Amino acid sequence: MSADGVTGPPPLGARPDWTIDQGWDRYTAAEHEVWLTLYRRQMELLPGRACDAFLKGLEALDLHGQGIPEFGRVNAQLRRLTGWSVVAVPGLVPDEVFFEHLANRRFPAGRFIRRPDQLDYLQEPDVFHDVFGHVPMLTDPVFADYMQAYGEGGLRAQGLGHLTNLARLYWYTVEFGLMQTPAGLRIYGAGIVSSRAESVFALDDPSPNRLVFDLERVMRTPYRIDDFQQVYFVIPSLERLLAATLQDFAPLYDRLESAPDIAIAAITADDQVLTRGTQAYARSRAQ
Ligand code: PHE
Ligand code: FE
C-alpha cells in the first residue's frame, strides 16, 4: 500500500511510522459479511488457479473463519512461519514508509473493507485485497525474502531516481504475477487472487499477452491501474524470481536511462511468448 504522491506527516491518530490499531472490535456484522462473501467467491475459483504457496498460506493462516481476520491472530502464525507481520495503516502511505515496513518484514494493510456495492472493483486497496491477496504468499520463505529485499531495494531505487522502474517490478510480480508449474499456469499476484473477474481473465482469456519474465523487460513496461492487464509476466518459480533480483540494480538502472519504454501490448523480438494475446478485450474497452 504505497502511492505516488502521498507525502507529509502521518494523519492524526497514526503513529510516526503511519501504523494504527486495527480496531477489530469495531467491525460491524455487515463488514464481516462482505469479507465472507468475497472469500467464498474466490475460493470457488482459486483451487487449481492459485499457486500452491498461496493456497497453503491461506490454510496455514486460517483466513476464513469469522470474517475479517484479527491481525494479532494472523501475526502469531505468520511470525512463527517467516518472521513477517501485518500492520494496520489508515490508507495509502508514502513510498519510503512502505519500503521501510517491508524491509523490516512488516506488511502495511488497510483496515477498512469495501462496501457491498464495490465487491468487484475499488480504487484503493482494502483489507480484503491486502490481507487475503498479499499475506498468504508471505508464509512462503522464498517470497518472504523477496518482499523484504524489495523493501530494501525500494529505498535504494528512490535514492537513485529509478522508482518508476522498480514499481513496475512490483506490479508485474507481487500484484499481477503468474507462475509456470508442472500442473500448468498458476496465479501468485495479489491483485489477481483478490479479484473474481481477473482470476479467470489472467489465466484463460485470449486477450492478454503472457510472456516469460525478464527483469529488464519488466522494468521497461508501463502498466495500467484501471482495468485488466494487457500483459502478464510468467516466472518459472519463486526461487528463480528471487535469484534474478539478488543482483545489484544500480548498473541496470544506468542501462535503463537509455532504453525506451516498451508499449504495454507490444511483443519484442527478445520476448519468450507463451500467449500472443488478441488484445480484443483492451480494444473493446477503448471504444
Ligand atoms: N537487488 C535490488 C537492488 O540492488 C534489490 C531488490 C531485490 C529489488 C529484490 C527488488 C526485489 O536494488
Ligand atoms: Fe496490493
Side-chain angles (χ1 to χ4, degrees), residues 146 149-150 152-154 156 166 169 245-250 253:
Y146 175 69
Y150 183 88
E152 292 160 359
R156 289 190 71 205
L166 192 70
L169 176 63
T245 51
L246 284 179
Q247 59 174 297
D248 180 1
F249 284 4
Y253 293 147

Side-chain angles (χ1 to χ4, degrees), residues 1 107 125 129-130 134 170 175 190-191:
M1 284 204 102
F107 190 81
H129 168 80
D130 280 334
H134 284 282
Y170 190 90
E175 295 291 356

Side-chain angles (χ1 to χ4, degrees), residues 71-91:
F71 292 178
R73 191 178 60 77
V74 173
N75 286 340
Q77 280 302 313
L78 192 54
R79 279 207 187 88
R80 195 177 61 75
L81 290 166
T82 55
W84 272 81
S85 62
V86 186
V87 292
V89 290

Side-chain angles (χ1 to χ4, degrees), residues 210-213 268-275:
R210 298 181 186 86
L211 310 176
V212 173
F213 176 86
T268 74
D270 296 328
D271 288 332
Q272 274 180 268
V273 182
L274 298 170
T275 312

Side-chain angles (χ1 to χ4, degrees), residues 26-246:
R26 295 201 307 274
Y27 290 121
T28 64
E31 287 176 320
H32 285 301
E33 203 46 55
V34 170
W35 173 286
L36 283 168
T37 303
L38 291 165
Y39 177 84
R40 288 191 198 109
R41 292 186 349 165
Q42 288 316 94
M43 290 319 284
E44 278 175 27
L45 288 172
L46 293 180
R49 291 178 183 273
C51 70
D52 285 346
F54 178 86
L55 295 170
K56 265 179 59 186
L58 263 188
E59 194 69 30
L61 297 174
D62 188 20
L63 282 182
H64 28 295
Q66 289 73 41
I68 302 170
E70 193 174 353
F71 292 178
R73 191 178 60 77
V74 173
N75 286 340
Q77 280 302 313
L78 192 54
R79 279 207 187 88
R80 195 177 61 75
L81 290 166
T82 55
W84 272 81
S85 62
V86 186
V87 292
V89 290
L92 298 168
V93 303
D95 290 322
E96 64 275 12
V97 175
F98 182 66
F99 296 142
E100 192 68 45
H101 281 300
L102 295 187
N104 290 284
R105 293 197 174 233
R106 291 186 301 264
F107 190 81
R111 75 164 298 282
F112 82 99
I113 192 151
R114 67 196 75 183
R115 296 189 316 260
D117 61 315
Q118 298 172 312
L119 293 189
D120 291 306
Y121 182 77
L122 95 160
Q123 289 279 344
E124 263 199 65
D126 68 343
V127 66
F128 186 76
H129 168 80
D130 280 334
V131 174
F132 181 90
H134 284 282
V135 175
M137 288 303 291
L138 294 172
T139 63
D140 181 274
V142 176
F143 192 83
D145 285 353
Y146 175 69
M147 284 291 273
Q148 178 185 349
Y150 183 88
E152 292 160 359
L155 296 168
R156 289 190 71 205
Q158 208 169 27
L160 296 167
H162 279 273
L163 214 48
T164 305
N165 298 118
L166 192 70
R168 291 169 177 174
L169 176 63
Y170 190 90
W171 192 263
Y172 284 118
T173 60
V174 177
E175 295 291 356
F176 291 96
L178 297 180
M179 182 190 303
Q180 196 69 68
T181 79
L185 210 53
R186 292 290 184 271
I187 306 163
Y188 71 95
I192 309 177
V193 291
S194 61
S195 157
R196 177 163 69 173
E198 198 152 358
S199 293
V200 175
F201 180 88
L203 291 181
D204 297 345
D205 203 279
S207 187
N209 297 331
R210 298 181 186 86
L211 310 176
V212 173
F213 176 86
D214 177 87
L215 179 62
E216 194 162 334
R217 195 323 177 175
V218 165
M219 286 193 175
R220 292 174 59 190
T221 312
Y223 54 82
R224 51 187 310 166
I225 60 166
D226 59 329
D227 208 332
F228 298 150
Q229 301 305 302
Q230 288 179 254
V231 55
Y232 297 93
F233 291 94
V234 181
I235 58 168
S237 66
L238 294 171
E239 286 79 6
R240 294 278 292 279
L241 172 64
L242 181 62
T245 51
L246 284 179

